[in-house]
Amino acid sequence: MPDAVTAALIVIGDEILSGRTKDVNIGTIADFCTDLGIELSEVRVVPDIEDEIVAAVNAVRGRYTYVFTTGGIGPTHDDITADAVAKAFGVALPINPEARAMLEQRWKDTGTEVNEARLRMARIPEGASLIVNSVSAAPGFRIGNVHVKAGVPKIMQAMLEAIAPTLEGGAKVKSVSIGCRVGEGTIGSAFGRIQDEFPDVKMGSYPRMGSTTVMTELVLRSHDEDRLSLAVERVRAMVAAAHANAGLAETVVAY
Amino acid sequence: MPDAVTAALIVIGDEILSGRTKDVNIGTIADFCTDLGIELSEVRVVPDIEDEIVAAVNAVRGRYTYVFTTGGIGPTHDDITADAVAKAFGVALPINPEARAMLEQRWKDTGTEVNEARLRMARIPEGASLIVNSVSAAPGFRIGNVHVKAGVPKIMQAMLEAIAPTLEGGAKVKSVSIGCRVGEGTIGSAFGRIQDEFPDVKMGSYPRMGSTTVMTELVLRSHDEDRLSLAVERVRAMVAAAHANAGLAETVVAY
């Protein structure tokens, strides 16, 4: 197995923890990482409390290839992500001329007043590079391996697209799903034995509640296509036997 | 402010981190906690790796009043939450007679074969009490302050309902939202000054993209209803002034 490229995500915001806002960024970033061959290894949701954000950033940034954060980079007093990240890296947080220019261009175009609150969004930790925001101008930034992005999903997605070319992905994980028409308890032991034989293929079992056609979805994932194919054949045969044993057609669908 | 009742949630599962499954339990549990006056203070999503689960459980269980986990309590080899929680508490993981009886009753009713994989679901850490699963029988459990629940949303919700009467909520946080028809950058400084005057009222600002009526939602939260009312009046007046200044009707809606 090649060296894994890994990532952690820190979702910042009281509104996620109170339930007021339902997060969708975790799923988007998980898909984004998987597409690039980056293994998303951990997610933390933390409140708008500076010490908590600092602690989370410092807990993960030495551990994973990349760290992504979402939320807390707007113009109001509860937007403290830049402050916290600057503190985590022990650097100052001055107004960044390039960020200010991006914002002022936008404000000029839209006839928006420049004020102290809006200028908060131009404060960027010393040594960071900017992440372009094609939606609403206020940039994110990257410092070390930490990528700071907005929380609004549309802006967050635009920033993901902006950073994609700068990230080095790992070997892509190939994945095959196998639909199984019996419950996972029926094939659990046999499936576990196949997993034991293929430690290089990660195998997961997911019940599908309320479905009468596929009751269990078996997902096999590996960096090694040949080993994956071998394992898929073994699991297909196991499922076919379970189907036959339950008086169902032996047909097994892999997708 | 009364002593806060707090909680952490640990979401367990490779499928969330790969993007294959989009989590909905975080939002459900956040709402559940808010309703009971429990402050959800942290969420972690961790993979199906025993050491990671053990580390997450031990990192949070001393820090918060309650810990909830979701996922990893099914019959297959990738369901290792019970193993990890038993390890975190340093206790054995025997077959629990009460859990076995619940399962066997269900299997009898549904004509389901008893096998080694299914019996995995009766393994409960020593000293734990069971959490009833009204959907599919396989119970969750509580050990110390850690509540272990299924990942399938429907089952997870049934288990939340089962534990609700056993949890002691804190003082409920009262919350008022105020719709603001100007961007958050316009009111950011004035809003921040009101926050400074009311450290006991948490104030958040949330842009609403694409809306032409409410552009910014201001959310005020406090345990103290009188202080909250005072702060709401201050923010209403500030927003009315901002509306008037922008040539909009002064009307401000609080909800």
Side-chain angles (χ1 to χ4, degrees):
Chain A
M1 193 172 131
D3 277 353
V5 177
T6 57
L9 165 62
I10 303 173
V11 174
I12 298 161
D14 290 347
E15 70 278 19
I16 307 295
L17 293 167
S18 74
R20 184 193 161 277
T21 300
K22 302 296 181 280
D23 172 81
V24 296
N25 291 330
I26 295 174
T28 303
I29 290 174
D31 285 338
F32 173 84
C33 286
T34 297
D35 284 349
L36 289 183
I38 296 170
E39 196 178 305
L40 182 62
S41 305
E42 181 174 347
V43 179
R44 297 191 187 196
V45 186
V46 299
D48 297 325
I49 296 173
E50 189 175 271
D51 288 348
E52 296 290 331
I53 304 170
V54 171
V57 169
N58 282 334
V60 298
R61 71 187 176 95
R63 221 186 148 193
Y64 304 105
T65 316
Y66 300 115
V67 175
F68 305 114
T69 76
T70 63
I73 64 166
T76 51
H77 63 85
D78 56 331
D79 292 306
I80 57 171
T81 300
D83 307 73
V85 172
K87 199 168 175 185
F89 279 85
V91 300
L93 185 68
I95 296 276
N96 177 296
E98 193 189 347
R100 185 181 184 140
M102 284 174 177
L103 286 160
E104 287 184 335
Q105 182 60 51
R106 172 76 172 207
W107 295 335
K108 201 177 146 196
D109 293 347
T110 56
T112 303
E113 169 207 20
V114 182
N115 63 24
E116 190 197 329
R118 290 203 167 90
L119 279 174
R120 277 177 66 84
M121 297 190 288
R123 298 178 315 142
I124 303 287
E126 210 133 54
S129 55
L130 301 184
I131 299 174
V132 170
N133 167 355
S134 58
V135 177
S136 59
F141 59 85
R142 178 177 64 178
I143 180 165
N145 62 340
V146 178
H147 298 71
V148 171
K149 298 190 295 295
V152 174
K154 201 171 134 182
I155 304 177
M156 199 289 294
Q157 287 160 33
M159 289 184 176
L160 272 187
E161 279 166 38
I163 63 170
T166 73
L167 302 174
E168 195 167 334
K172 263 183 96 164
V173 175
K174 313 285 186 302
S175 168
V176 174
S177 295
I178 295 168
C180 178
R181 298 174 64 201
V182 297
E184 58 177 358
T186 304
I187 46 82
S189 296
F191 190 44
R193 283 191 297 269
I194 302 178
Q195 172 70 86
D196 289 342
E197 278 178 56
F198 290 85
D200 48 351
V201 179
K202 259 195 159 177
M203 304 185 190
S205 168
Y206 305 102
R208 272 219 208 146
M209 290 204 55
S211 168
T212 51
T213 48
V214 174
M215 287 176 62
T216 308
E217 200 169 349
L218 305 175
V219 180
L220 281 64
R221 305 172 72 228
S222 182
H223 288 100
D224 184 329
E225 208 151 353
D226 293 339
R227 290 284 291 167
L228 179 63
S229 299
L230 263 176
V232 165
E233 278 323 296
R234 292 290 307 279
V235 173
R236 281 182 82 120
M238 175 208 55
V239 174
H243 285 181
N245 196 40
L248 300 162
E250 282 187 29
T251 329
V252 180
V253 184
Y255 43 95
Chain B
M1 192 173 130
D3 277 352
V5 177
T6 58
L9 165 63
I10 303 172
V11 174
I12 298 161
D14 290 348
E15 70 279 17
I16 306 295
L17 292 167
S18 75
R20 183 192 162 279
T21 300
K22 302 296 180 279
D23 172 79
V24 295
N25 290 331
I26 295 173
T28 304
I29 290 173
D31 285 338
F32 173 84
C33 286
T34 297
D35 284 349
L36 289 183
I38 296 170
E39 195 178 306
L40 181 62
S41 305
E42 180 174 348
V43 179
R44 298 192 185 194
V45 186
V46 299
D48 297 326
I49 297 173
E50 188 175 272
D51 289 348
E52 297 290 331
I53 304 170
V54 171
V57 169
N58 282 334
V60 299
R61 70 187 177 97
R63 221 185 146 192
Y64 304 105
T65 317
Y66 299 115
V67 175
F68 305 114
T69 76
T70 63
I73 62 166
T76 51
H77 63 86
D78 55 332
D79 292 306
I80 58 171
T81 299
D83 308 72
V85 172
K87 200 168 171 183
F89 280 83
V91 300
L93 185 68
I95 296 274
N96 176 298
E98 193 189 347
R100 184 180 185 141
M102 285 175 177
L103 286 160
E104 286 184 336
Q105 182 59 52
R106 171 77 170 206
W107 295 333
K108 201 178 146 194
D109 292 346
T110 56
T112 303
E113 169 207 21
V114 182
N115 63 26
E116 191 197 329
R118 291 204 166 90
L119 279 174
R120 278 177 66 84
M121 298 190 287
R123 298 177 316 142
I124 303 288
E126 210 133 56
S129 56
L130 302 185
I131 299 174
V132 169
N133 168 356
S134 58
V135 177
S136 59
F141 58 85
R142 178 175 66 177
I143 179 165
N145 62 340
V146 178
H147 298 70
V148 171
K149 297 190 297 292
V152 174
K154 200 172 134 183
I155 303 176
M156 200 289 294
Q157 287 160 32
M159 289 183 176
L160 272 187
E161 279 166 39
I163 64 170
T166 73
L167 302 175
E168 194 167 336
K172 264 184 97 162
V173 176
K174 312 284 185 304
S175 168
V176 174
S177 295
I178 295 168
C180 178
R181 299 174 64 201
V182 297
E184 57 176 359
T186 303
I187 46 82
S189 296
F191 190 45
R193 284 191 297 270
I194 302 177
Q195 172 71 87
D196 288 343
E197 279 178 56
F198 291 84
D200 49 350
V201 180
K202 261 196 158 177
M203 304 186 190
S205 168
Y206 305 101
R208 270 219 208 146
M209 289 203 56
S211 168
T212 50
T213 47
V214 175
M215 288 176 63
T216 308
E217 200 169 348
L218 305 175
V219 180
L220 281 65
R221 304 171 73 227
S222 181
H223 288 99
D224 183 330
E225 208 151 353
D226 293 338
R227 291 284 291 166
L228 180 63
S229 298
L230 263 175
V232 165
E233 278 323 297
R234 291 291 307 280
V235 173
R236 281 182 82 121
M238 174 208 58
V239 173
H243 284 182
N245 197 42
L248 299 163
E250 282 188 30
T251 329
V252 180
V253 185
Y255 41 96

